[in-house]
């Protein structure tokens, strides 16, 4: 296959000899916004992330294989991909472990008031907080029961939580006490002690989760895509890693909101990602 590799796959150049041994011909593009290094008609497959945000997919008339380095499909014109019968793969499972660990860390940071203790340490102040909370026994609702949601469920269940999944398909899944349909989403949001959002962004999920429905003592964690969660009238603690517009505007009131932890779309980062992604890509190319 004639493959266009991009710098979205950090280990791409290291694996070029291996891909060539498998019979693939390779060209490499470090920055996806840069001009293409070959005639688009040459390209039969690509390993990329946001390539089609900068180069219309329609300029690749012989494209038949896409491997994304992201989990979400929101940067790809899926209607066109389906119409043309292009084989497409995402990075399912690659980032699930660090994202689940991030969710746990964020909730525990709020429950144990770690940001305030850090401020006290910086100021050399010894002051107890006798209102810390326990995670054990809490009702954790996970919206989206794919790989990321499942890894979250595994960890929250280990802390003694009741774990409820909200999913398009209702079925029994390990680590969840039960799975309910999206029709029950509003009820589950209203009763959640912790709400973890791991849904992919689609036309149907945009604005699906309403933060205003959460209890004041609940914790919201969004590690999916910013537009999935409507943050208007946020009245509870929150761990927010993704936003509708990124970077987050320096003037956004979220920066100074009480009990809100903000991170720069960083929850997916972990030292095991590169190995998992390369294994997945090589497996899909060797079919």
């Amino acid at each position: 296959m004639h493959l266009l590799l991009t710098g979205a796959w950090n280990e791409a150049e290291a694996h070029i000899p291996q891909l060539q041994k498998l019979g693939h011909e390779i060209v490499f593009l470090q920055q996806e916004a840069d001009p293409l290094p070959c005639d688009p008609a040459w390209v039969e497959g690509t390993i990329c992330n946001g390539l089609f945000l900068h180069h219309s997919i329609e300029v690749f008339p012989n494209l038949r294989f896409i491997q994304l380095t992201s989990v979400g499909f929101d940067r790809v014109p899926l209607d066109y991909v389906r119409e043309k019968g292009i084989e497409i793969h995402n990075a399912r499972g690659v980032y699930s472990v660090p994202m689940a660990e991030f969710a746990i860390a964020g909730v525990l940071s709020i429950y144990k008031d770690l940001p305030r203790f850090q401020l006290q340490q910086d100021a050399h102040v010894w002051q107890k907080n006798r209102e810390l909370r326990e995670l054990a026994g809490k009702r954790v609702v996970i919206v989206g029961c794919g790989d990321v949601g499942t890894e979250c469920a595994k960890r929250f269940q280990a802390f003694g939580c009741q774990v409820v999944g909200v999913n398009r398909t209702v079925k029994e899944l390990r680590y969840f006490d039960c799975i309910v349909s999206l029709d029950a989403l509003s009820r589950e949001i209203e009763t959640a002690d912790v709400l973890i959002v791991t849904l992919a962004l689609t036309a149907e999920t945009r604005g699906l989760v309403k933060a205003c429905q959460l209890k004041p003592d609940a914790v919201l964690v969004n590690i999916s895509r910013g537009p999935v969660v409507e943050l208007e009238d946020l009245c509870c603690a929150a761990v927010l890693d993704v936003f509708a517009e990124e970077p987050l505007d320096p003037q956004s009131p979220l920066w100074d909101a009480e009990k809100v932890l903000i991170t720069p779309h960083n929850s997916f980062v972990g030292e095991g990602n590169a190995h998992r992604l390369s294994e997945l890509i090589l497996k899909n190319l060797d079919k």
Side-chain angles (χ1 to χ4, degrees):
M1 191 188 313
H2 293 171
L3 280 175
L4 170 62
L5 310 185
T6 80
W9 180 18
N10 291 334
E11 295 189 344
E13 291 181 289
H15 286 283
I16 286 177
Q18 186 176 359
L19 292 173
Q20 289 173 330
K21 286 183 180 179
L22 292 173
H24 302 293
E25 295 184 40
I26 309 295
V27 292
F28 181 73
L29 174 66
Q30 179 61 53
Q31 300 295 331
E32 294 181 335
D34 286 351
L36 295 172
C38 61
D39 184 342
W42 180 87
V43 178
E44 296 173 327
T46 182
I47 299 168
C48 63
N49 182 13
L51 180 68
F52 305 119
L53 298 178
H54 309 287
H55 306 277
S56 171
I57 195 171
E58 296 178 355
V59 307
F60 300 95
N62 297 311
L63 187 65
R64 56 187 174 89
F65 176 92
I66 299 170
Q67 170 70 64
L68 300 174
T69 61
S70 62
V71 176
F73 292 98
D74 47 296
R75 297 180 175 184
V76 180
L78 285 177
D79 288 342
Y80 181 90
V81 169
R82 295 188 187 103
E83 177 189 339
K84 298 297 182 180
I86 299 170
E87 180 182 347
I88 187 167
H89 300 273
N90 67 349
R92 180 178 180 179
V94 170
Y95 311 108
S96 304
V97 167
M99 292 176 74
E101 291 180 354
F102 179 92
I104 283 282
V107 175
L108 285 174
S109 180
I110 288 174
Y111 268 33
K112 305 306 180 184
D113 204 14
L114 297 185
R116 196 189 73 152
F117 284 129
Q118 182 63 60
L119 292 175
Q120 289 180 192
Q121 179 178 341
D122 293 343
H124 300 185
V125 172
W126 182 278
Q127 182 178 342
K128 294 184 183 297
N129 180 348
R130 300 193 182 276
E131 297 182 353
L132 302 184
R133 303 173 67 188
E134 297 178 5
L135 191 52
K138 296 299 188 292
R139 183 178 178 85
V140 176
V141 176
I142 300 175
V143 187
C145 302
D147 286 348
V148 176
T150 299
E151 291 294 337
C152 288
K154 180 193 300 184
R155 286 157 179 79
F156 279 100
Q157 192 178 76
F159 274 85
C161 299
Q162 178 191 17
V163 181
V164 177
V166 182
N167 204 46
R168 182 176 290 106
T169 304
V170 177
K171 53 188 175 181
E172 288 189 9
L173 286 176
R174 190 180 180 189
Y175 307 118
F176 291 90
D177 291 287
C178 66
I179 306 286
V180 300
S181 72
L182 283 173
D183 294 338
L185 178 60
S186 291
R187 183 186 72 239
E188 295 301 333
I189 291 177
E190 292 169 358
T191 61
D193 295 309
V194 177
L195 183 75
I196 313 291
V197 184
T198 70
L199 282 175
L201 176 61
T202 66
E204 293 74 24
T205 63
R206 184 176 293 270
L208 183 66
V209 176
K210 312 295 184 186
C212 63
Q213 294 180 289
L214 283 149
K215 301 185 299 182
D217 63 348
V219 178
L220 165 68
V221 179
N222 188 7
I223 51 176
S224 59
R225 287 288 190 264
V228 173
V229 178
E230 175 52 68
L231 290 174
E232 188 175 353
D233 298 325
L234 176 68
C235 62
C236 65
V239 180
L240 304 175
D241 185 55
V242 290
F243 301 88
E245 298 292 335
E246 296 181 356
L248 182 64
D249 189 331
Q251 304 306 315
S252 171
L254 289 171
W255 288 106
D256 300 310
E258 186 178 3
K259 294 185 178 179
V260 172
L261 300 181
I262 290 175
T263 51
H265 204 140
N266 214 91
S267 63
F268 69 95
V269 176
E271 73 270 23
N273 288 346
H275 175 71
R276 287 187 292 265
L277 180 60
S278 293
E279 270 199 337
L280 178 68
I281 290 171
L282 293 171
K283 176 182 175 181
N284 287 337
L285 283 173
D286 197 27
K287 287 183 178 179

